[in-house]
Amino acid sequence: MSSAVAPLAPAVPTAPAAPATGAQPALACHVHKFGGSSLADAAHIAALAALVPGDARVRPVVVSAMAGTTNALVALADAAPALEDWKPAWEALRQRHLATADVFEPETGGPLHAALEDEFATLAHDLQGLNADADGHNARLARIHGCGEQLSSRLVQAALGPGWQRLDAREVLVVRPGEMGAVVDWDASRARLARWRLAHGARDVVITGFVARDGDGHDTTLGRNGSDYSAAIFANLFDAGALTIWTDVDGVLSADPRLVPDAVCLQAMSYAEACELAYFGASVLHPQTLAPVQARGIPVRIRNSRNPAAPGTTIVPESVPAASPVKGLSLVRDVAVLELVGNGLVGVPGTAERMFAALHAAGVSVTMISQGSSEHSICCVVQAGQVERGREAILAAFADAIDQGRAQAVTVTRDLCVLAAVGDGMVGTQGVAARLFAGLAQAHVNIRAIAQGASERNISVAIAQADATRALRAAHAAFWLSPQTVSVGVIGPGNVGRALLSQLADVVPALRARAGVDLRLRAIASSRRMRLDDAPLDPAHAAAALDADAPACNLDAFAAHVRASHLPHALIVDCSASDAVAAHYPAWLAAGIHVVTPNKHAGSGPWTRYAAIRGAQREGGGRFLYEATVGAGLPVIQTLRGLLDTGDTLHGIDGMLSGTLAWLFNSYDGSRPFSALVREARALGYTEPDPRDDLSGLDVARKLVILAREAGRTLSLDDVAVESLVPEALRDVPLEVFLERLPELDAPMQARLDAAHADGHALRHLARLHGDGRASVGVVALPADHPCRHTRLTDNLVQFRTARYAENPLVVQGPGAGPEVTAAGVFADVLAIAHALGKQAGLPFLRHDDGDASRIGAGPHG
């Protein structure tokens, strides 16, 4: 990645200001320009009258061709020299315009129809003569391309009604070719317009856009999007007080709405901001448009002819304050990087001049320049179609240096685009680049080159074209212009999964509105089926989508869908208890997908996989959060990490980590047999269907391993001394047999209880991590002052003994089981990731409609 050098500023010809003619009332002249979308058909043209208010003494209206007409004319011109049959297309175009004229002039023999017929006769003559007159070919071609404006101007004149005159811009506008396009001869054009106005005395006039004549009187055009340029030119020539450009969008948007649905309409922006955005691909304005109005300080308003109630965007000379330092973002696609590399270039004067002179001579336009401060390399961004020509030009210019070994290579990197962030508020504001780069990094987008001008109004980055949409959305969200969008997939719609989906349904709308985070559920999967959808799934009904018609579950396809290329962030929530699903975590995290889970297999499984998960986090940037694996919704892992990260030393952990076993031993006082309590716990739904899954202690051991690893111990399940409460003779028998023989547990357990009572102790099921690294799970006798003697029936409790909390250990206690609290723990991790991505890093609470406040915590470190 290269260090920053200024992007090429848009160089456009500037118009001289006319001599002052004395004070004039505001809006002595208001120019309106209507694009092709505003002239799509007779209904749209008829609506124009209501859009041109009588707020000015002079109201010039500049028009484009009807929608699609210019493309049709270009196709006709391309077909005619090849002697292809262009007449059917010509006739279709003629019938379209005559049918439109019928609305405004029912009599087909009237002046409007006659004028249109004359225009089409001229068009046919020019098409037939394209090969006949080599000297006049370019002028004839310009007349063909500009015929659409001649036609539309006559239709608009008729629609606006009596009193409106028509000005063919070719009678007034004189231009000459320049490197950046047509350059206006202001003196000649101003004089011709003055004569025309003197002769016609027109207050209201319809003017053809796009067309002009050169100094020799030959027809020419202003290039694609030239009608906007025409409007700005005439705003200057008329000394207008305002220019309104009517189009089919509500104004200048903060980004392309086709790529960023949350793009916002900008209320106001400066000329400088508009120029930068136009240069870098914003389609509402052509880069040349603003030069003529900028010379006179004429405000430009962009409005929607199809939604005139929208206020639009006003472009003014000075900077307009805004909440975000960045006003908008745009993309230049289909570019490539040319890089000249050489050890012998360091400190050699004129290297850049030599390189760019070669590109200029080859006719290669440079979009962006970047050079490292070491001067070892210099690179530039050019259009992909010009890259080979540019490469050959640089090779020729530096042939001697390459032969002598002072320059090593001219490399080409293809399939790139340039993302530009633009805003006057960036000037002097610290951290703008950091926000941009952080947003792109979170979206897993690599930056190939960077450029920022000294004006600080623009930061441009070259990125892979495949990342364009994701990068644009990530940058848009980074500057608070839209919510952070997170593509979410949920695996395991069981009890915990369904509870999580219910919580998502309750909170997601408020999270989007208040915290600027848009969690979009786009995929759901069970062990057998999955449902993938580009449109957000309703969390409240998502589980029902896994019906018999749903495709078979494929976790690779599931992850690929969640990691959508057009969305900046991806999150998979695994609510299953599957080791096979946990095996996919390293690949997901390496791909930049965040993972949240209550699944204990990842944190307590093979050490090699655990190490791979941690390595994948570092490599891919995905966050791995798993608070609900220990203590359900309790902040156990978060508390442990907080202690260790602040420099405390862990001496040991005691934990009641099973709600089932907590209930059993809190209830077991000798008044009832232990087997009776196991049966009651099963009937109450506290145990797994097979109580041996709880009594084995394996689940508690997994939680202890997770805590030990979080504390930096290289512990595995095999290292934990686990006491199973199931006699060896009952471990492999059928469930029915085990339940019948449950009383076999009573005598041994009663003996242990009696021994504990003799010492004034009571039995509890405890997981212990000792200071010397030993780990154990089993039943222990505890004195009356131990915290585990004072819990509610199903509470989990974790006691941390540390250097700071030696005499009075730190205790985390509360409900540690159940779908709702486990889902809440999972959701807290989801919100932790959302909070990290959100636009308000300090937002502490998200309030539900019922008035309860749920903490959006920082979550466990991952």
Side-chain angles (χ1 to χ4, degrees):
M1 182 167 59
S2 304
S3 59
V5 178
L8 295 184
V12 293
T14 59
T21 57
Q24 293 184 343
L27 291 179
C29 174
H30 187 169
V31 177
H32 294 264
K33 184 267 175 177
F34 292 97
S37 60
S38 301
L39 309 172
D41 52 35
H44 284 85
I45 295 174
L48 300 189
L51 303 179
V52 184
D55 60 351
R57 295 204 310 265
V58 180
R59 297 182 296 171
V61 170
V62 179
V63 295
S64 298
M66 290 181 71
T69 297
T70 302
N71 288 339
L73 290 167
V74 171
L76 281 170
D78 291 342
L83 299 179
E84 295 182 22
D85 188 2
W86 48 264
K87 290 185 178 180
W90 173 89
E91 180 60 27
L93 199 61
R94 172 176 170 271
Q95 290 300 327
R96 178 189 178 192
H97 283 79
L98 291 176
T100 304
D102 289 343
V103 175
F104 307 111
E105 186 184 67
E107 298 295 331
T108 57
L112 175 59
H113 283 78
L116 293 178
E117 292 286 17
D118 285 345
E119 296 290 354
F120 275 100
T122 301
L123 173 60
H125 181 267
D126 284 331
L127 289 168
Q128 290 171 337
L130 269 179
N131 285 331
D133 184 6
D135 292 337
H137 177 81
N138 290 338
R140 193 182 296 273
L141 192 63
R143 279 199 303 276
I144 295 171
H145 290 172
C147 180
E149 282 70 17
Q150 305 299 325
L151 298 166
S152 65
S153 63
R154 296 186 182 279
L155 293 169
V156 171
Q157 180 189 14
L160 291 177
W164 284 83
Q165 298 197 45
R166 176 179 171 275
L167 168 59
D168 184 342
R170 295 175 297 186
E171 299 179 39
V172 168
L173 193 53
V174 181
V175 300
R176 59 179 173 79
E179 287 191 357
M180 297 298 296
V183 178
V184 180
D185 184 334
W186 291 101
D187 291 337
S189 299
R190 198 175 302 280
R192 292 188 180 197
L193 178 61
R195 289 195 295 271
W196 188 93
R197 295 183 68 183
L198 184 63
H200 295 82
R203 172 184 178 271
D204 298 330
V205 56
V206 178
I207 305 172
T208 56
F210 184 53
V211 296
R213 286 198 173 106
D214 63 20
D216 296 325
H218 297 139
D219 287 0
T220 188
T221 65
L222 303 184
R224 281 289 190 174
N225 300 302
S227 291
D228 281 352
Y229 190 27
S230 295
I233 292 169
F234 278 103
N236 183 298
L237 293 176
F238 275 92
D239 196 16
L243 167 62
T244 296
I245 297 177
W246 295 90
T247 181
D248 57 357
V249 294
D250 286 344
V252 179
L253 300 182
S254 54
D256 186 339
R258 295 168 298 180
L259 305 180
V260 183
D262 299 302
V264 296
C265 184
L266 305 176
Q267 293 183 351
M269 60 196 311
S270 69
Y271 286 148
E273 290 171 324
C275 281
E276 292 278 4
L277 283 173
Y279 177 74
F280 281 97
S283 59
V284 174
L285 287 172
H286 188 271
Q288 283 184 303
T289 297
L290 291 174
V293 293
Q294 191 170 357
R296 289 178 171 270
I298 301 170
V300 179
R301 203 165 167 199
I302 311 297
R303 297 188 63 188
N304 190 347
S305 62
R306 301 184 181 188
N307 182 24
T313 301
T314 302
I315 303 171
V316 293
E318 300 300 325
S319 177
V320 180
S324 170
V326 168
K327 282 283 182 67
L329 300 112
S330 58
L331 286 168
V332 178
R333 293 185 179 270
D334 297 319
V335 299
V337 167
L338 279 169
E339 184 174 19
L340 174 65
V341 180
N343 295 327
L345 303 178
V346 178
V348 178
T351 299
E353 178 185 9
R354 189 175 175 186
M355 177 176 175
F356 294 114
L359 292 173
H360 178 267
V364 176
S365 177
V366 177
T367 300
M368 184 177 120
I369 304 168
S370 184
Q371 182 177 18
S373 57
S374 68
E375 302 183 49
H376 174 261
S377 68
I378 181 170
C379 72
C380 61
V381 176
V382 302
Q383 291 296 316
Q386 299 179 343
V387 67
E388 280 304 321
R389 190 161 77 245
R391 178 177 174 273
E392 294 298 328
I394 297 173
L395 285 172
F398 288 87
D400 56 341
I402 294 173
D403 289 342
Q404 296 165 13
R406 290 185 288 112
Q408 276 68 56
V410 178
T411 63
V412 173
T413 306
R414 303 178 187 274
D415 298 322
L416 301 179
C417 65
V418 172
L419 170 65
V422 173
D424 289 337
M426 297 164 61
V427 179
T429 301
Q430 297 178 350
V432 174
R435 284 169 65 178
L436 175 62
F437 300 153
L440 295 177
Q442 285 183 336
H444 214 55
V445 174
N446 183 46
I447 299 173
R448 303 300 302 266
I450 305 168
Q452 180 177 17
S455 71
E456 300 184 71
R457 189 173 285 112
N458 175 299
I459 300 177
S460 302
V461 294
I463 58 176
Q465 191 145 275
D467 294 334
T469 302
R470 188 166 72 252
L472 184 62
R473 292 189 177 188
H476 200 262
F479 291 105
W480 307 356
L481 297 170
S482 68
Q484 291 279 2
T485 303
V486 185
S487 175
V488 179
V490 173
I491 299 173
N495 292 335
V496 173
R498 287 176 184 270
L500 173 66
L501 291 170
S502 177
Q503 293 173 11
L504 281 170
D506 289 341
V507 174
V508 162
L511 185 67
R512 191 181 195 279
R514 297 193 179 196
V517 176
D518 183 9
L519 296 177
R520 296 187 185 178
L521 180 64
R522 302 178 64 252
I524 187 168
S526 65
S527 60
R528 293 183 298 174
R529 300 193 178 277
M530 67 180 183
R531 179 71 67 185
L532 314 179
D533 205 325
D534 288 326
L537 295 166
D538 181 357
H541 304 100
L546 296 173
D547 53 26
D549 294 331
C553 182
N554 180 318
L555 290 179
D556 290 334
F558 181 91
H561 179 79
V562 173
R563 190 68 176 103
S565 62
H566 65 285
L567 295 176
H569 311 294
L571 167 66
I572 291 178
V573 184
D574 174 22
C575 293
S576 75
S578 167
D579 186 73
V581 175
H584 286 78
Y585 292 1
W588 294 346
L589 291 164
I593 301 174
H594 307 295
V595 177
V596 169
T597 187
N599 185 345
K600 291 177 278 292
H601 284 277
S604 64
W607 178 262
T608 53
R609 183 169 69 195
Y610 182 78
I613 287 173
R614 292 304 187 192
Q617 284 184 266
R618 293 188 294 271
E619 174 189 342
R623 299 186 71 195
F624 176 43
L625 303 187
Y626 45 92
E627 183 68 79
T629 57
V630 180
L634 297 178
V636 176
I637 295 174
Q638 181 178 345
T639 300
L640 177 58
R641 289 305 319 162
L643 292 170
L644 299 177
D645 288 348
T646 56
D648 205 350
T649 302
L650 182 68
H651 291 166
I653 297 175
D654 283 359
M656 294 173 64
L657 301 179
S658 166
T660 301
L661 293 167
W663 185 89
L664 286 172
F665 285 96
N666 278 327
S667 303
Y668 187 45
D669 58 4
S671 62
R672 299 173 62 192
F674 189 73
S675 61
L677 291 173
V678 173
R679 286 196 173 97
E680 183 178 349
R682 186 171 186 265
L684 291 171
Y686 290 162
T687 72
E688 295 294 332
D690 187 339
R692 288 174 291 186
D693 293 340
D694 299 291
L695 297 175
S696 70
L698 182 61
D699 186 65
V700 173
R702 289 188 180 278
K703 297 176 182 180
L704 186 61
V705 169
I706 291 170
L707 287 177
R709 290 176 174 178
E710 197 68 29
R713 313 282 176 88
T714 56
L715 197 73
S716 293
L717 275 176
D718 292 340
D719 302 318
V720 183
V722 182
E723 176 193 4
S724 175
L725 303 185
V726 183
E728 187 171 353
L730 299 182
R731 292 176 187 172
D732 297 323
V733 299
L735 175 61
E736 296 78 9
V737 175
F738 169 73
L739 293 175
E740 289 175 4
R741 296 173 61 182
L742 260 179
E744 295 180 25
L745 279 64
D746 292 340
M749 194 62 69
Q750 185 66 46
R752 296 179 69 171
L753 180 65
D754 292 343
H757 282 174
D759 295 330
H761 293 178
L763 298 182
R764 295 292 185 269
H765 190 273
L766 214 62
R768 282 184 155 168
L769 182 66
H770 303 274
D772 59 5
R774 292 180 298 113
S776 62
V777 170
V779 177
V780 297
L782 297 177
D785 62 351
H786 195 285
C788 291
R789 289 284 303 275
H790 308 285
T791 62
R792 295 186 179 183
L793 284 177
T794 59
D795 274 1
N796 276 201
L797 183 148
V798 180
Q799 174 184 273
F800 296 105
R801 286 179 288 106
T802 71
R804 293 178 190 153
Y805 297 92
E807 300 301 324
N808 187 14
L810 177 62
V811 173
V812 178
Q813 178 182 345
E820 293 296 332
V821 293
T822 303
V826 174
F827 198 18
D829 282 349
V830 171
L831 292 179
I833 290 177
H835 187 62
L837 299 175
K839 66 183 180 183
Q840 299 182 31
L843 182 66
F845 292 100
L846 177 68
R847 188 167 294 279
H848 296 277
D849 292 339
D850 61 5
D852 293 334
S854 298
R855 180 74 180 174
I856 303 181
H861 293 212

